[in-house]
């Protein structure tokens, strides 16, 4: 347990360093200063819905971690689902959180990497808030 935490921390720091150096879309943690802390237990609904700061923080987190597959401005180019289609309720929220923390594997191939060790709960809900702020066209 202890070792896993140290390892996770090291990986996260490494990813942050390379992101600062290149901004290359590699998975990287994001700072969520100014947002209410959420504690250990994962929420089942987005606690930041309607929070403008969460939208701004989430935009940076999305562009760094998600846009290369889910599309710039959350407009899917077809290689991954359009995240604007998820409903803004507990069903959509819990599905979003489960997928982002756990990723997705099909027939033994990783289609989406898990972000549970990279992004804090605060970061994940900030990204969710940004996604929900995008118009469905
Ligand atoms: C390497 C490409 C890739 C990256 C990076 C990626 N995803 Fe995904 N994501 C996918 C694919 C592919 C699927 C579909 C998986 C499946 O259902 O088999 C998916 C599915 C999802 C789903 C479920 C959507 C649905 O309609 O069922 C959510 C939510 C999601 N991703 C959010 C995110 C977020 C948020 C990020 C950034 C933190 C992210 N993804 C980063 C490729 C990616």
């Amino acid at each position: 347990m202890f070792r896993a935490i140290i390892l996770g921390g090291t990986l996260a720091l490494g990813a942050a360093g390379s992101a600062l150096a290149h901004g290359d879309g590699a998975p990287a943690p994001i700072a969520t200063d100014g947002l209410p802390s959420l504690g250990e237990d994962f929420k089942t609904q987005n606690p930041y819905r309607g929070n403008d700061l969460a939208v701004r923080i989430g935009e940076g987190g999305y562009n760094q971690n998600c846009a290369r597959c889910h599309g710039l401005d959350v407009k899917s180019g077809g290689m991954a689902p359009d995240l604007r289609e998820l409903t803004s309720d507990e069903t959509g929220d819990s599905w979003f959180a489960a997928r982002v923390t756990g990723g997705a594997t099909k027939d033994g191939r990783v289609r989406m990497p898990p972000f549970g060790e990279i992004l804090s709960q605060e970061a994940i809900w900030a990204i969710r808030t940004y996604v929900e702020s995008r118009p469905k066209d």
Side-chain angles (χ1 to χ4, degrees), residues 11-100:
L11 285 173
L13 284 175
S18 73
L20 286 174
H22 311 294
D24 54 5
I30 59 170
T32 56
D33 304 279
L35 292 178
S37 303
L38 301 176
E40 289 292 309
D41 293 339
F42 225 97
K43 306 286 180 203
T44 55
Q45 291 195 60
N46 182 2
Y48 297 148
R49 193 163 282 136
N51 180 321
D52 290 338
L53 178 63
V55 172
R56 268 181 283 138
I57 290 174
E59 179 173 16
Y62 177 89
N63 286 334
Q64 177 67 32
N65 292 291
C66 322
R68 69 189 168 97
C69 294
H70 288 281
L72 275 179
D73 219 22
V74 203
K75 289 179 184 151
S76 171
M79 85 180 272
D82 194 312
L83 299 181
R84 297 171 302 174
E85 298 296 324
L86 293 175
T87 52
S88 284
D89 57 13
E90 189 161 357
T91 306
D93 284 350
S94 51
W95 180 242
F96 183 91
R99 270 300 193 231
V100 178

